[in-house]
Amino acid sequence: MPGIVLVGAQWGDEGKGKATDLMGNRIDAVVKFNGGNNAGHTIVIEGEKYALHLLPSGILTPGCTAIIGNGVVIDLGVLFEEIDGLEARGVDTSNLVVSSSAHIVTPYNRTLDKVTERFLGSRKIGTTGRGIGPTYADKMARTGIRVQDIFDETVLRAKVVGALEFKNQVLIKIYNRRGFEVDAVVDELLSYADRLRPMVTDTPLLLSQMLDAGKTVVFEAGQATLLDVDHGTYPFVTSSNATAGGACTGAGVPPTRIDRVIAVVKAYATRVGEGPFPTELLDEDGEKLRQIGAEYGTTTGRPRRCGWYDAPVARYAARINGVTDFVLTKLDVLTGWEQIPVCVAYEIDGERVEELPAGQREFSAAKPIYEYLPGWTEDISGARSIEDLPDAARAYVLALEAMSGARISVIGVGPGREQTVVVHDLV
Ligand code: GDP
Ligand code: IMO
Ligand code: MG
């Protein structure tokens, strides 16, 4: 089972980091294929908490090659901060490899992300302010700076001059800000070159060789299906392809090398930032989910919007990604509700609609139609097999499985690595 894609099924923060970590020493490499330090993955190992942003989760598994793929955008300052933070805690990061074609988040793009959001006012996206959108925009406009460019000062300088000719006009004339000096930007990027050089390689070639040798590779998505720039709730999305197809372009492997697609889905739903969210709870149930589930962003610390499980969203994720297995996380958070609403369809303009509508206007107008499932009161955080779950919790899982379009292979009952029920092995 060599090529495994792992994606988020909802709006992010489903527990992808924990899911990758669970596969542990059965995998040889983990590739991050999209996004940048907008992502935040919390992994808890023997009570120790690690928060990763740019580094693939595999960095915490001894012997696993951690790969930052060509589809990622890298803030080099953040990369080295994260490496230093892990090294200081005794984690060996020497197994990190970086694509020479990944794009770099420049200082002017960090600024542009923040000032654009302020400029948009009530039309803002609610970005993480990490420069992700402007960096992907440069990539598509063919004015981006790539990892390989910082090893050639002449090329780098020419690119920065070209970029700033335009960006400084925007910053000064539209946003009333100061522009950036070419030398300052070039010097900052060059300052990382020596340290970065030994990590950089042709990652699509490395991956092809690993897969040929029968190694097991996990392609780990940042963000999630409904934040995908093509398949999400556009324009309230991130600027990359976070769905399974993105693994091929973002890592440089053909679709024929993907054997399994795992989607991580929370037993309820959360979203950070703006955009439609049909099952959102603005009442005390929402607050209760946020408190019990500790639903505050790993990257920005923002409170996450919380709501009930949305089965049409899960079915959509199953279809768009070709999901073979779901990892259902945070079932423990639902302990204590007398009954648990699950959205089974929407009412849109007076009609019952079973699938996610393709139109953004329709999705924004969608009202959830709920089915109410019986709750449970027993503490389930110690469950290690499906038989350990109370009948109502097991029935909840089976009901979700029946309405979500793929089998549920793993159930999370707590943040710890061991707080997991495995129904079918992932690897
Ligand atoms: P990611 O971005 O998808 O990797 O997810 P985050 O790390 O941003 O958010 C998921 C949070 O839920 C983290 O704090 C995890 O430690 C935590 N978590 C993961 N699985 C479970 C679970 O089954 N139960 C509980 N209570 N917490 C979990
Ligand atoms: P992980 O990998 C949740 C959201 C932001 C905003 C939108 C665009 O931890 O699941 P961006 O900075 O990417 O331009 O912001 O996307 N967003 C996330 N929400 N989890 C994430 O990553 C996210 N990465 C971006 O809140 O709404
Ligand atoms: Mg996260």
Side-chain angles (χ1 to χ4, degrees):
M1 185 65 66
I4 303 171
V5 174
L6 188 129
V7 297
Q10 296 153 317
W11 284 277
D13 306 322
E14 295 90 351
K16 297 176 289 292
K18 177 182 161 176
T20 306
D21 178 64
L22 272 181
M23 293 186 254
N25 53 18
R26 285 164 295 167
I27 54 188
D28 301 295
V30 176
V31 202
K32 180 178 166 88
F33 64 79
N34 75 303
N37 60 312
N38 48 347
H41 308 301
T42 303
I43 299 158
V44 182
I45 305 170
E46 289 166 11
E48 282 261 337
K49 199 165 158 179
Y50 298 88
L52 301 177
H53 298 283
L54 255 174
L55 295 173
S57 307
I59 198 84
L60 297 174
T61 305
C64 179
T65 305
I67 303 174
I68 297 184
N70 55 278
V72 173
V73 294
I74 307 176
D75 185 322
L76 291 169
V78 173
L79 177 70
F80 290 121
E81 240 172 65
E82 214 166 296
I83 290 173
D84 291 343
L86 288 183
E87 289 283 345
R89 294 173 71 180
V91 178
D92 175 12
T93 62
S94 60
N95 50 356
L96 177 66
V97 175
V98 177
S99 165
S100 56
S101 301
H103 281 245
I104 290 177
V105 179
T106 56
Y108 46 85
N109 280 337
R110 276 196 301 266
T111 299
L112 276 166
D113 189 5
K114 294 194 186 101
V115 295
T116 306
E117 282 282 280
R118 238 169 279 155
F119 182 78
L120 286 171
S122 63
R123 290 175 294 129
K124 71 174 193 276
I125 308 295
T127 73
T128 58
R130 301 296 193 264
I132 307 299
T135 305
Y136 279 112
D138 279 4
K139 173 176 175 173
M140 291 307 176
R142 293 155 297 183
T143 54
I145 312 275
R146 299 200 289 175
V147 163
Q148 56 194 266
D149 298 330
I150 72 164
F151 304 126
D152 184 330
E153 186 174 348
T154 313
V155 169
L156 177 65
R157 186 169 294 275
K159 288 194 162 195
V160 172
V161 167
L164 284 182
E165 254 170 38
F166 174 72
K167 306 269 181 182
N168 276 345
Q169 303 261 3
V170 174
L171 280 166
I172 296 164
K173 293 186 180 159
I174 298 177
Y175 294 121
N176 203 20
R177 295 280 165 148
R178 261 188 297 176
F180 280 80
E181 300 287 342
V182 171
D183 281 346
V185 173
V186 170
D187 289 351
E188 182 184 322
L189 298 180
L190 283 178
S191 73
Y192 299 116
D194 286 345
R195 195 166 172 199
L196 187 64
R197 201 187 311 265
M199 302 173 190
V200 176
T201 195
D202 178 345
T203 50
L205 178 63
L206 172 68
L207 282 165
S208 171
Q209 288 163 343
M210 288 188 91
L211 289 164
D212 280 348
K215 305 274 188 203
T216 300
V217 177
V218 171
F219 301 83
E220 181 186 56
Q223 295 77 55
T225 302
L226 291 193
L227 291 175
D228 181 284
V229 68
D230 282 276
H231 303 293
T233 54
Y234 192 91
F236 301 102
V237 292
T238 191
S239 301
S240 65
N241 286 113
T243 46
C248 295
T249 46
V253 297
T256 44
R257 308 234 60 166
I258 307 297
D259 302 282
R260 188 174 264 198
V261 179
I262 299 166
V264 187
V265 68
K266 250 180 232 192
Y268 49 99
T270 63
R271 167 161 213 172
V272 196
E274 308 301 315
F277 181 6
T279 64
E280 181 172 18
L281 292 164
L282 299 167
D283 57 9
E284 59 203 37
D285 277 335
E287 190 51 37
K288 196 168 151 192
L289 283 174
R290 187 173 305 114
Q291 293 312 325
I292 301 175
E295 296 295 356
Y296 293 88
T298 311
T299 300
T300 58
R302 289 179 287 179
R304 294 175 181 149
R305 300 158 65 191
C306 297
W308 299 121
Y309 191 83
D310 187 326
V313 162
R315 271 203 300 279
Y316 179 72
R319 168 159 65 83
I320 291 286
N321 295 294
V323 173
T324 54
D325 303 80
F326 276 116
V327 172
L328 181 73
T329 58
K330 300 195 125 173
L331 187 64
D332 53 302
V333 174
L334 295 179
T335 300
W337 263 276
E338 206 169 300
Q339 51 176 11
I340 307 168
V342 171
C343 169
V344 293
Y346 306 120
E347 189 200 311
I348 303 174
D349 300 335
E351 305 263 330
R352 184 183 167 104
V353 177
E354 304 286 334
E355 300 296 328
L356 221 72
Q360 190 61 18
R361 188 204 66 77
E362 286 77 10
F363 192 52
S364 298
K367 292 192 187 68
I369 297 174
Y370 286 119
E371 229 170 63
Y372 295 83
L373 302 179
W376 60 93
T377 52
E378 298 89 332
D379 177 2
I380 61 168
S381 61
R384 297 295 176 265
S385 78
I386 192 87
E387 291 77 31
D388 295 340
L389 293 175
D391 289 348
R394 211 164 41 236
Y396 183 80
V397 173
L398 291 175
L400 262 44
E401 183 172 72
M403 55 180 88
S404 302
R407 67 184 189 178
I408 292 174
S409 295
V410 172
I411 303 158
V413 293
R417 199 183 246 181
E418 70 295 345
Q419 289 179 298
T420 307
V421 170
V422 178
V423 185
H424 305 285
D425 278 327
L426 294 178
V427 190

